[in-house]
Amino acid sequence: MEGASYQRFPRVKIREVKDDYMKFELRDTDASIANALRRIMIAEVPTIAIDLVEIEVNSSVLNDEFISHRLGLIPLTSERAMSMRFSRDCDACDGDGQCEYCSVEFYLRVKCLSDQTLDVTSKDLLSSDHTVVPVDYSDASSGFDNSTNKGIIIVKLRRGQELRLRAIARKGIGKDHAKWSPAATVTFMYEPEIYINEDMMETLSLEEKKELVESSPTKVFDIDPENKQVIVVDPEAYTYDDEVLKKAEAMGKPGLVEIHAKEDSFIFTVETTGAVKASQLVLNAIDVLKQKLDAVRLSDDTVEADDQFGELGAHMRGG
Amino acid sequence: MNAPDRYERFVVPEGVKKVSYERDTKIMNAATFTVEREDHTIGNIVRMQLHRDDSVLFAGYKLPHPLQYKILLRIQTTSQSSPMQAYNQAINDLDKELDHLKNQFEGELAKHTRDY
């Protein structure tokens, strides 16, 4: 039964990691895996977001639905999301979000008592679970004055206006609603392989070399200040625009520069909303993809049904 | 107004099988797998993995309609194998590849967090 294995052994090289940003190289696999990971990071890695809002008092200028929508879009720290339950398959509660396995409760109680406009922000949300709170965007290392950072503004109140509500946050995925997407941007590009025909390049005057370098809209090439040769300074700046190739052709030198996309090598950039760390997002995406693959394995009864069918076929053939 | 519920896209309805299998009546060693509530993410990686298999003569998938949340995967193999065997092999190989990828990624990440 065991056939030959066609497994691949992909390699990873991380270039840069920050909390909400990372860049890495993925090699020795194909575009289908790279794209599956990208799609999953955007739409299928779970996070927690406000999903149900009960408004007690709202005398602000924004209507209830408008405020509820804004609350939903606030990123909440979601390290716990992978181990939480979806409220639809939670059997500890009836899905109204009262239990600790599938939901987190928030309260917001603000009233403006002064003549100055009061900003209601994500920092005014009181969470029932200290691991699930609105993401804090004040960056201590940035050197800016953090006292002015008050979080994400939900609504502004004038004297006498009040907002009082209870909200329930649940686990969800970006496929359901974009508010659950942990990804700000996830992109990958093929790594370009740029080859300069040095012999042909020798026949160019310095003026022509400069023209060629200038023809690229992104700064991929430059001229070595010492030996006046055209060099590749940043291959990844190349956007597959073909401008240099067209220029070489126009100069009557086709083949002067050759550019190929390496089809098994990708450069990923991942930015998150802050709900999970960028590195964790990639790991979660791999886990989610593994779970999905597991779910599409053939069930035993399907295999059995086919075996019977096979026997029947054999009987029929055998007469 | 008559839009399907959003959860329809990823919740398999009760009584419906996640993967069903149907042999082709006219072609030997050919079959169609219907995978409920999946899309290009699964369809494309399984297809590409099947293409690496020498015993697979044909492998293709389609998403019949954007509002029918299922994919159809068609496989034809040589007589040395069967569509079911090829399908299982592809999933096992992908699973192992992802295990390897995860280990690689964790190893690299450990290196980077150390020099922080």
Side-chain angles (χ1 to χ4, degrees):
Chain A
M1 192 69 196
E2 264 304 293
S5 176
Y6 298 94
Q7 196 203 336
R8 276 175 301 219
F9 297 93
R11 286 180 294 138
V12 175
K13 187 167 173 243
I14 295 177
R15 291 214 185 138
E16 198 183 345
V17 237
K18 282 190 235 155
D19 274 359
D20 57 1
Y21 173 84
M22 84 178 295
K23 196 166 186 149
F24 65 95
E25 296 162 11
L26 177 65
R27 290 176 205 279
D28 296 345
T29 188
D30 73 353
S32 70
I33 294 285
N35 196 41
L37 286 174
R38 183 192 66 85
R39 285 173 64 98
I40 287 176
M41 284 190 245
I42 293 168
E44 298 192 59
V45 171
T47 65
I48 301 161
I50 290 176
D51 195 32
L52 213 81
V53 181
E54 241 171 65
I55 294 185
E56 269 179 63
V57 181
N58 173 20
S59 52
S60 76
V61 290
L62 299 185
N63 60 47
D64 297 359
E65 292 86 342
F66 203 128
I67 289 174
S68 308
H69 179 238
R70 291 183 65 75
L71 288 169
L73 296 173
I74 295 169
L76 306 174
T77 53
S78 307
E79 279 79 25
R80 254 187 71 199
M82 285 295 276
S83 57
M84 256 169 91
R85 290 183 198 160
F86 286 108
S87 62
R88 62 169 182 276
D89 19 72
C90 181
D91 31 48
C93 67
D94 42 346
D96 60 353
Q98 298 286 355
C99 85
E100 55 180 319
Y101 305 109
C102 70
S103 50
V104 180
E105 207 173 18
F106 285 86
Y107 282 98
L108 183 75
R109 296 188 196 91
V110 208
K111 187 170 186 179
C112 179
L113 297 168
S114 69
D115 274 330
Q116 196 155 44
T117 314
L118 178 71
D119 293 347
V120 181
T121 71
S122 57
K123 293 216 167 146
D124 294 310
L125 277 169
L126 302 174
S127 171
S128 64
D129 180 343
H130 69 277
T131 61
V132 181
V133 290
V135 173
D136 186 4
Y137 292 101
S138 57
D139 185 2
S141 64
S142 69
F144 287 108
D145 182 12
N146 283 324
S147 58
T148 54
N149 190 327
K150 288 184 290 189
I152 300 163
I153 296 179
I154 297 161
V155 66
K156 292 183 177 183
L157 301 179
R158 65 169 288 175
R159 189 186 191 98
Q161 289 177 340
E162 189 182 5
L163 182 61
R164 224 163 52 212
L165 57 87
R166 186 176 84 102
I168 289 164
R170 289 176 175 158
K171 174 182 174 173
I173 58 173
K175 231 183 190 182
D176 191 345
H177 189 291
K179 69 183 176 186
W180 277 300
S181 177
T185 52
V186 182
T187 64
F188 70 84
M189 71 177 282
Y190 286 114
E191 186 177 8
E193 219 170 8
I194 302 175
Y195 169 75
I196 299 172
N197 188 328
E198 298 292 351
D199 293 341
M200 229 186 245
M201 199 59 90
E202 284 301 303
T203 63
L204 259 59
S205 67
L206 186 60
E207 218 34 53
E208 285 174 307
K209 284 179 182 172
K210 273 185 184 154
E211 242 178 80
L212 187 81
V213 167
E214 293 298 315
S215 72
S216 177
T218 51
K219 206 175 161 55
V220 177
F221 302 93
D222 207 351
I223 291 176
D224 192 322
E226 273 163 32
N227 55 18
K228 308 290 176 211
Q229 286 200 329
V230 177
I231 49 166
V232 179
V233 285
D234 186 4
E236 278 157 41
Y238 187 58
T239 55
Y240 294 93
D241 46 53
D242 281 0
E243 289 297 330
V244 242
L245 305 180
K246 281 182 204 151
K247 183 72 190 175
E249 199 125 339
M251 289 161 87
K253 312 263 180 196
L256 178 63
V257 178
E258 273 181 55
I259 305 176
H260 299 286
K262 279 180 156 179
E263 301 220 340
D264 64 346
S265 187
F266 311 92
I267 300 151
F268 264 87
T269 54
V270 177
E271 278 179 77
T272 75
T273 59
V276 285
K277 283 185 178 174
S279 53
Q280 193 59 49
L281 175 57
V282 181
L283 288 170
N284 288 357
I286 297 172
D287 282 338
V288 170
L289 186 50
K290 274 171 64 71
Q291 285 164 20
K292 281 173 77 78
L293 277 172
D294 226 31
V296 299
R297 279 178 198 279
L298 287 166
S299 57
D300 291 337
D301 55 326
T302 314
V303 181
E304 242 167 69
D306 185 58
D307 284 344
Q308 278 164 11
F309 182 90
E311 258 169 56
L312 190 76
H315 279 300
M316 270 157 54
R317 276 194 296 274
Chain B
M1 211 168 69
N2 56 356
D5 287 321
R6 287 190 324 240
Y7 66 80
E8 287 283 340
R9 297 171 67 172
F10 47 86
V11 180
V12 183
E14 247 173 90
V16 175
K17 267 170 121 180
K18 180 80 181 174
V19 189
S20 50
Y21 166 91
E22 198 187 342
R23 278 193 193 208
D24 194 295
T25 48
K26 289 181 181 154
I27 306 166
M28 275 288 279
N29 287 312
T32 306
F33 295 80
T34 307
V35 189
E36 283 293 335
R37 301 312 185 256
E38 291 297 344
D39 55 18
H40 301 287
T41 308
I42 287 294
N44 199 32
I45 55 169
V46 175
R47 176 185 72 113
M48 292 310 280
Q49 187 66 40
L50 285 163
H51 285 171
R52 293 172 60 80
D53 192 333
D54 294 326
S55 62
V56 171
L57 299 175
F58 177 87
Y61 82 98
K62 67 175 173 185
L63 191 84
H65 184 99
L67 291 175
Q68 284 175 12
Y69 306 113
K70 64 178 179 191
I71 54 168
L72 304 180
L73 182 72
R74 257 180 83 76
I75 305 172
Q76 188 192 352
T77 66
T78 60
S79 51
Q80 272 74 50
S81 185
S82 72
M84 217 179 244
Q85 197 183 328
Y87 180 83
N88 289 333
Q89 181 70 45
I91 288 176
N92 288 339
D93 286 344
L94 283 169
D95 198 51
K96 281 188 274 174
E97 175 172 346
L98 288 172
D99 279 331
H100 180 81
L101 178 62
K102 194 178 178 192
N103 285 333
Q104 283 279 309
F105 195 88
E106 279 172 342
E108 268 286 303
L109 198 63
K111 264 193 252 167
H112 275 262
T113 38
R114 236 185 292 131
D115 0 291
Y116 237 149

